[in-house]
């Protein structure tokens, strides 16, 4: 398990970017944390680490957004609004999870029962004892 301390939005972005540079085809990254903690900032950095420079935004209403212009395809999920796990079946999630791209799933704990056991879990947490901008990023 690895912990990264971030004291700014830019450092959270950089943490994502470094992980994106190391990501390999077929990997699944599960991103958890409260609203407003920096999951999308981390994801934008992760995308840049893959060589994706187009705008990245959270696919809250579409559930999945595909980015094909990096060194590997990125499938960015936001499952916050998933009402039932069957919605993931309707999306054809297995094609994404077991394809040649990389999946990054925000709010992954909501669909934990379908996440493969080899997925990388990332948690971003605030700790106001260290200031408003502080984030603890745990990768494990």
């Amino acid at each position: 398990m690895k912990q990264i301390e971030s004291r700014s939005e830019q450092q959270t972005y950089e943490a994502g970017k470094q992980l994106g540079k190391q990501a390999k085809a077929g990997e699944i990254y599960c991103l958890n944390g409260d609203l407003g903690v920096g999951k999308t900032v981390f994801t934008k950095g992760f995308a840049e680490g893959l060589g994706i420079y187009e705008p990245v935004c959270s696919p809250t209403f579409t559930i999945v957004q595909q980015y094909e212009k990096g060194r590997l395809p990125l499938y960015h999920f936001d499952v916050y609004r998933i009402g039932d796990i069957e919605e993931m079946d309707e999306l054809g999630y297995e094609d994404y999870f077991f394809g040649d791209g990389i999946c990054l799933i925000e709010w992954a704990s909501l669909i934990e029962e379908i996440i493969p056991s080899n997925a990388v879990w990332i948690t971003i947490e605030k700790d106001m004892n260290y200031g408003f901008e502080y984030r603890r990023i745990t990768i494990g």
Side-chain angles (χ1 to χ4, degrees):
M1 189 156 319
K2 178 180 180 181
Q3 282 199 343
I4 299 167
E5 292 188 349
S6 170
R7 299 197 181 273
S8 69
E9 190 171 300
Q10 185 60 37
Q11 287 181 347
T12 299
Y13 183 95
E14 286 297 321
K17 183 177 174 180
Q18 292 308 310
L19 195 59
K21 285 181 177 181
Q22 300 167 22
K24 296 176 182 62
E27 291 182 329
I28 298 173
Y29 293 86
C30 299
L31 192 51
N32 290 296
D34 293 337
L35 281 170
V37 80
K39 293 181 299 294
T40 302
V41 169
F42 184 91
T43 301
K44 288 176 180 183
F46 189 93
E48 186 177 319
L50 287 171
I52 297 167
Y53 297 100
E54 63 190 282
V56 172
C57 58
S58 191
T60 303
F61 295 101
T62 58
I63 299 176
V64 64
Q65 182 70 44
Q66 299 180 43
Y67 301 95
E68 305 279 346
K69 295 189 171 146
R71 66 178 175 85
L72 293 165
L74 174 62
Y75 308 117
H76 178 201
F77 289 81
D78 183 333
V79 298
Y80 183 73
R81 297 195 184 283
I82 287 279
D84 190 303
I85 204 75
E86 290 175 9
E87 290 180 55
M88 291 300 291
D89 286 329
E90 292 169 16
L91 281 173
Y93 80 90
E94 290 177 332
D95 292 338
Y96 297 106
F97 282 21
F98 303 107
D100 292 330
I102 295 170
C103 292
L104 194 147
I105 308 163
E106 293 188 40
W107 299 98
S109 59
L110 297 174
I111 60 166
E112 192 167 352
E113 62 263 35
I114 64 170
I115 302 290
S117 61
N118 64 341
V120 176
W121 289 83
I122 303 162
T123 303
I124 303 176
E125 301 168 289
K126 292 181 183 181
D127 187 336
M128 296 307 279
N129 292 324
Y130 296 101
F132 182 76
E133 295 293 322
Y134 178 87
R135 302 293 187 268
R136 182 179 306 106
I137 303 167
T138 305
I139 303 168

